[in-house]
Amino acid sequence: MQKIKYKAKEWDYSFKSMTWWNRDKVKNAKVMVVGCGALGNEVIKNLVLMNVSNIVIVDFDEIEYSNLSRSILFDHSHVTNSSRKVDAVKHKVEQINPTVTVEALHADVCHGVGLSYFEEVDVIISCLDNRQARLFLNRYAFQFSTPWIDGAIENVSGTVKIYRKGENCYECNLTDIERQEIKAKLACADVAAQYESHGSIPTTSISASIIGAIQVQEALKIIHGYEDELMTQSLYYEGFHNLYLNYTETMTNPDCHCQMEDIHLLRTELSHKATIESLFEEMHKSLEESDPIIMLRSPLILKVQTMNQDKTAEISIPKYKLKDYFDEDLMILNQVDRIDHSFSDKTLTLEDIGIASNDIIKYISKEGTMKFLKLKLNS
Amino acid sequence: MTQDIPVIVRVMPSADELEISIPSSATPRELINHILDADIGVPKTDAQSNQVVYQLIPKGKNEVLKESETFSQGDVQANDVILMIPKVIAG
């Protein structure tokens, strides 16, 4: 790798005297930030100021007035225009530091973000507001042994935790109450209701600044490879009484997803824009898979009915996108969670059936084993 | 044999302190439920109506007590200060 030389008036020129700083590592690092609320704003601001040059941001929300009091990257025009959070953040940070590349994904991290992002980034920073998404993030990150740094805030308090496969695990340390709540919410057909937060918990820019700064400091240690300097314990911070509590969570479940071995990736030149038919052809040709079974992350809904049973429709829409197409509640009459050669409409694209850009397809091979096929990013 | 262990529970974020005697055979889950049911202003739900989940951490040991293990198994001693902290989820 070519070493990048410092020049005066370059963005990170003043950092060169920091002994721990390695500009090459920071410039070449890729970080994913999930959630662009109060905490996400602070995290992204710090990453950009520290010149982390490749940032993927994920959020499915639009900006509301209540966001302005705690989000440095949003302004009144974003509220007036109902701007999407990811678009506003991308626009603002590229104004602040034009050398940074921001990839904005307006998506739900559980369904709409290609799994390759979890593999490609050096670290994931979680600025989420619900347990369900954290659980998904934990599972996906650990599939590729990617570390993730969780932050959370409320009032003038907050927490920071670093999760690394083999060391600690979000899922293992869930209490029974949390597991019940997650299960109940995931059973809810209404995706919006699964993430019903929307700024109702009081948070402040102060706690967001403190917690977000610590998350980014730890992310920089991971980027630099400073393993020994990383936080080894979780932090609970409470600002009103000046409590800084470092503590350890020790639960380990031998049946947890975190105990899985890393997956081996197969690759294809196809993207999520390819049809099901062309995928099967390609898998047959290149991988000698004669009858693969594609596993879907979100069920594909094939038939719905209105609640008063007066209308029925045959559709092909991933369950998590139903609300984008229908305003009313619907009864689901037919759905599939896997696709094989018997599927009736193979002219549908992979995107149509809920496979995201830069995704990794999970399939059952002819030997009956689970395999993983990485799609090409459709640029 | 079950013994009562006098401890101080400091409930965060208010930092209110409760002097409580806990049976050594009781579990953190039972103590948390007891405090929540005592109607002393410790929030049971957040602004989203989600149940607030608490953890107990003896000061000085700084390790979360396992919710189903007894205080005896968790080596909780008389006069320990136990922090009761919420698992924060907002962002």
Side-chain angles (χ1 to χ4, degrees):
Chain A
M1 193 181 300
Q2 193 178 3
K3 195 163 175 71
I4 306 162
K5 302 287 183 195
Y6 284 95
K7 291 178 191 161
K9 290 191 180 175
E10 283 187 319
W11 184 273
D12 55 351
Y13 184 74
S14 62
F15 298 160
K16 69 175 184 178
S17 57
M18 301 194 303
T19 53
W20 60 275
W21 181 261
N22 182 318
R23 110 182 298 207
D24 297 350
K25 286 186 175 174
V26 175
K27 273 226 141 332
N28 293 315
K30 189 169 185 177
V31 177
M32 180 157 73
V33 181
V34 187
C36 294
L39 198 49
N41 264 250
E42 287 296 323
V43 163
I44 295 162
K45 176 208 76 181
N46 286 326
L47 289 171
V48 168
L49 293 179
M50 296 305 288
N51 213 29
V52 175
S53 299
N54 303 288
I55 306 171
V56 180
I57 58 174
V58 182
D59 199 297
F60 64 85
D61 260 343
E62 293 175 355
I63 298 169
E64 297 172 3
Y65 188 76
S66 62
N67 299 130
L68 298 187
S69 61
R70 46 203 169 176
S71 307
I72 190 68
L73 303 173
F74 302 155
D75 61 41
H76 284 277
S77 71
H78 297 134
V79 180
T80 309
N81 299 326
S82 298
S83 301
R84 305 193 306 192
K85 287 181 176 175
V86 288
D87 295 337
V89 167
K90 177 178 165 67
H91 182 69
K92 187 65 71 107
V93 300
E94 288 178 348
Q95 283 181 326
I96 294 170
N97 182 352
T99 66
V100 167
T101 301
V102 175
E103 191 172 351
L105 303 180
H106 182 250
D108 165 9
V109 70
C110 301
H111 304 290
V113 176
L115 293 184
S116 287
Y117 287 105
F118 291 81
E119 183 228 355
E120 292 165 359
V121 299
D122 298 284
V123 56
I124 301 165
I125 304 182
S126 157
C127 305
L128 290 160
D129 63 359
N130 67 85
R131 297 183 177 112
Q132 306 87 278
R134 285 188 173 90
L135 177 63
F136 276 93
L137 203 160
N138 187 71
R139 288 182 181 176
Y140 294 157
F142 281 5
Q143 278 195 335
F144 305 104
S145 293
T146 302
W148 67 285
I149 304 172
D150 190 25
I153 52 174
E154 182 166 355
N155 204 324
V156 289
S157 61
T159 55
V160 182
K161 300 173 186 186
I162 302 177
Y163 292 103
R164 297 202 298 171
K165 191 173 180 180
E167 293 185 9
N168 54 356
C169 170
Y170 179 79
E171 186 167 358
C172 284
N173 284 285
L174 288 172
T175 64
D176 290 344
I177 293 170
E178 290 174 297
R179 289 175 199 277
Q180 286 161 16
E181 185 197 283
I182 290 170
K183 197 174 170 186
K185 291 228 165 148
L186 291 179
C188 179
D190 183 344
V191 172
Q194 290 178 6
Y195 308 105
E196 52 184 15
S197 164
H198 299 289
S200 53
I201 290 186
T203 58
T204 65
S205 62
I206 298 167
S207 52
S209 300
I210 293 166
I211 298 301
I214 295 170
Q215 285 180 282
V216 173
Q217 181 69 80
E218 295 306 303
L220 285 167
K221 291 178 194 170
I222 290 172
I223 289 167
H224 280 85
Y226 295 133
E227 300 282 317
D228 295 343
E229 283 73 20
L230 274 176
M231 278 171 55
T232 54
Q233 293 181 302
S234 302
L235 169 71
Y236 174 76
Y237 164 75
E238 202 289 306
F240 198 75
H241 301 91
N242 303 309
L243 173 68
Y244 300 82
L245 175 69
N246 292 299
Y247 64 97
T248 309
E249 293 176 304
T250 55
M251 293 295 284
T252 305
N253 177 0
D255 299 322
C256 180
H257 285 78
C258 70
Q259 304 294 323
M260 286 190 314
E261 288 181 11
D262 282 6
I263 61 177
H264 171 67
L265 285 180
L266 303 166
R267 288 163 202 276
T268 173
E269 290 297 306
L270 296 177
S271 78
H272 70 307
K273 299 287 185 187
T275 62
I276 297 170
E277 192 163 27
S278 59
L279 175 69
F280 281 142
E281 279 172 16
E282 171 70 11
M283 290 175 82
H284 184 63
K285 195 171 114 190
S286 307
L287 304 169
E288 296 178 356
E289 291 290 359
S290 52
D291 199 11
I293 302 168
I294 309 293
M295 310 297 290
L296 300 175
R297 270 200 276 170
S298 177
L300 183 67
I301 307 303
L302 299 174
K303 193 172 185 182
V304 290
Q305 190 174 56
T306 51
M307 296 306 273
N308 59 11
Q309 303 185 5
D310 68 338
K311 287 181 197 160
T312 303
E314 296 201 357
I315 57 174
S316 296
I317 300 173
K319 189 175 179 181
Y320 79 96
K321 284 187 176 173
L322 266 188
K323 279 281 165 187
D324 297 345
Y325 293 87
F326 299 99
D327 292 331
E328 59 187 317
D329 288 337
L330 296 167
M331 275 192 291
I332 295 168
L333 299 182
N334 189 14
Q335 66 176 42
V336 291
D337 60 6
R338 53 187 66 193
I339 303 281
D340 61 19
H341 273 292
S342 67
F343 186 70
S344 58
D345 188 359
K346 290 196 273 291
T347 61
L348 290 173
T349 67
L350 303 180
E351 185 177 29
D352 292 335
I353 61 171
I355 292 170
S357 172
N358 211 21
D359 217 340
I360 292 169
I361 293 174
K362 193 157 95 171
Y363 73 93
I364 301 172
S365 71
K366 60 189 172 193
E367 305 94 27
T369 55
M370 193 68 78
K371 292 190 175 175
F372 299 87
L373 181 64
K374 181 181 165 90
L375 296 175
K376 192 173 182 183
L377 180 61
N378 191 52
S379 54
Chain B
M1 193 175 73
T2 298
Q3 289 179 314
D4 278 358
I5 311 171
V7 296
I8 295 169
V9 179
R10 186 175 298 156
V11 183
M12 300 306 297
S14 67
D16 289 343
E17 292 194 346
L18 310 171
E19 292 184 20
I20 300 180
S21 275
I22 51 173
S24 58
S25 59
T27 63
R29 189 186 300 163
E30 288 167 341
L31 176 59
I32 290 167
N33 287 340
H34 175 75
I35 291 171
L36 293 176
D37 290 342
D39 203 19
I40 50 175
V42 180
K44 285 184 180 179
T45 55
D46 63 20
Q48 297 170 225
S49 303
N50 293 318
Q51 195 163 346
V52 180
V53 174
Y54 292 90
Q55 295 174 304
L56 297 182
I57 305 170
K59 200 176 173 190
K61 291 181 184 146
N62 292 7
E63 189 170 314
V64 176
L65 293 172
K66 295 182 176 71
E67 64 170 353
S68 56
E69 277 190 6
T70 65
F71 289 109
S72 173
Q73 290 168 321
D75 196 29
V76 173
Q77 304 290 320
N79 304 316
D80 273 357
V81 175
I82 300 176
L83 291 151
M84 178 168 152
I85 66 166
K87 289 181 90 169
V88 185
I89 57 172

